[in-house]
Structures are given as structure tokens and as C-alpha cells.
Amino acid sequence: MKPSYDSSSDAELIALLRDEDHNAFTEIYRRFWDKIFVLAFNRLKDQAEAEEIVQEVFLSLWKRRETLQVQYSLNTYLSTAVKYQIINRQSRNYLKTQSDLSLASLPEQGIDSTQLWFSERELKRQLDYHVEQLPEKCRLVFKLSRELYLSNAEIAQQMGVTEKAVEAHITRALKVLKGKLHFGIPLISYLLSK
């Protein structure tokens, strides 16, 4: 018997999606596209950029369908994914702006692109080092949030703590990293996405 996609629950759609059911993916797209587009547009104030972000989120959803872990709702999962895509994009733009400013101040002969690559690599190495120096719980929460892209609620449930505790650990980690590395949170977010 063919499933009724429009009346399927999130859990049913996810199960079908894991089995490469294109109709389940289409239903998820139909059901959530408007909601997450509005979220992206409200943050970016640019229709084309918001549409790109939403497309990237759905492309990622399809690529990760076999290993997809959604503990609450698809709406929460997709909304969180949009927020991370926006942060990553803003971080890349910030780094590009910083690089352009640095390049503008260089002598006429310019700079070797290899040198820029090594600079970014060194910053990433420093960031990784300082993340490892964070207190154990703080480090674990930070990694679950920034590397595995779990929501605060998912982390709280997994670690048996409150969402407020999760937020406090992330805030503490970002404050420590910003102080140790002497550069802003957008650049930290960008380097974490590499």
C-alpha cells in the first residue's frame, strides 16, 4: 500500500527518506520550504541569498538521508540547519572581507595564495588547540554544537543537563576562544566549518 505522504508524521517521512523515497523528500520540501525560507530571509534580508541557503539545507538533507538523526521535529532540525548555514556563510564573507582588507594593505607585489592558505591553516590549528584546552563538559558541549550541529535541546537531552546549561557552556567556550585567539566569533565559526 502506497503511503499517504501529506498525512505522514515527521518520523514516518524521515523513515521513508532513509529508504531513498523521493516522494517523502518532496513532501518534506513542500511542507517546510516556506517556513525555513522566511527564517532565512528575516535574517539575511536578501531573497536570492535566502533561497540559496534553503536549497543548500535541502541538498544536505538529501545527501545525509541515510544517517539522518532527528530527535525532535523536522521543523526544529531544518530551522537549526538554516541558522548554521547562515552563520557559515556570514563567516566566509567576514573572512573574505578581512582577507581583502589585508591584501589592500600589502605592497604592490601582492601576496602568495599559499601564504594565505597557511595563515588560515595556522589559525585553525590554534583554534583546535584552544578548544581542546576547554574544561571537559564545556569542550564536549561546544563540539556537539559546532562540529556535529546538534541543537541545544538535543545536547541537553544527550548530556542530561538543561538547555540553559548548554547555552552557558557554549557562551563560555566562545568567550574563552575569543580571548585566547583575539579574533571575532564569525571567524571562529568559519574556521570550525573547515
Side-chain angles (χ1 to χ4, degrees):
M1 186 175 151
K2 187 178 175 185
S4 173
Y5 296 98
D6 60 344
S7 61
S8 296
S9 68
D10 286 0
E12 291 167 332
L13 288 172
I14 291 165
L16 291 166
L17 184 63
R18 284 195 194 109
D19 291 335
E20 296 192 24
D21 188 318
H22 289 83
N23 291 325
F25 179 78
T26 301
E27 175 59 22
I28 293 168
Y29 188 90
R30 185 199 63 74
R31 195 178 289 184
F32 294 103
W33 192 93
D34 288 344
K35 293 175 185 174
I36 64 173
F37 170 76
V38 168
L39 176 64
F41 182 77
N42 285 340
R43 289 185 177 237
L44 297 167
K45 307 298 184 207
D46 181 300
Q47 182 176 344
E49 202 171 1
E51 287 174 354
E52 280 180 36
I53 291 280
V54 171
Q55 291 305 107
E56 287 171 19
V57 166
F58 279 108
L59 179 61
S60 174
L61 179 71
W62 178 255
K63 285 181 178 176
R64 299 173 60 211
R65 67 192 175 277
E66 292 174 6
T67 58
L68 196 60
Q69 295 295 321
V70 179
Q71 296 193 356
Y72 294 100
S73 70
L74 270 169
N75 188 47
T76 301
Y77 179 86
L78 293 170
S79 297
T80 302
V82 164
K83 290 173 190 171
Y84 281 116
Q85 285 285 356
I86 290 169
I87 289 168
N88 287 338
R89 181 170 291 218
Q90 289 173 335
S91 298
R92 284 193 299 271
N93 292 343
Y94 174 83
L95 188 64
K96 183 183 181 317
T97 301
Q98 294 303 104
S99 295
D100 290 348
L101 291 173
S102 298
L103 289 171
S105 65
L106 291 172
E108 286 294 314
Q109 68 266 25
I111 187 169
D112 184 354
S113 63
T114 307
Q115 185 179 347
L116 284 175
W117 181 80
F118 277 113
S119 296
E120 183 178 326
R121 194 168 165 201
E122 174 59 21
L123 289 174
K124 174 76 169 115
R125 189 193 64 72
Q126 287 179 33
L127 176 62
D128 291 342
Y129 171 79
H130 289 296
V131 166
E132 290 306 315
Q133 303 309 307
L134 292 169
E136 184 181 354
K137 225 174 199 179
C138 187
R139 179 177 69 243
L140 181 57
V141 167
F142 189 76
K143 285 185 166 192
L144 289 172
S145 171
R146 298 311 198 255
E147 293 176 12
L148 297 181
Y149 305 109
L150 297 183
S151 70
N152 288 359
E154 290 169 327
I155 296 168
Q157 183 182 35
Q158 188 170 325
M159 294 186 66
V161 297
T162 66
E163 285 188 54
K164 287 282 185 196
V166 171
E167 290 171 19
H169 282 303
I170 293 170
T171 301
R172 178 180 180 194
L174 288 171
K175 187 175 181 181
V176 168
L177 294 173
K178 189 175 175 187
K180 296 271 186 194
L181 297 167
H182 307 294
F183 50 76
I185 290 170
L187 184 52
I188 290 171
S189 298
Y190 171 77
L191 292 170
L192 285 168
S193 72
K194 299 303 275 179

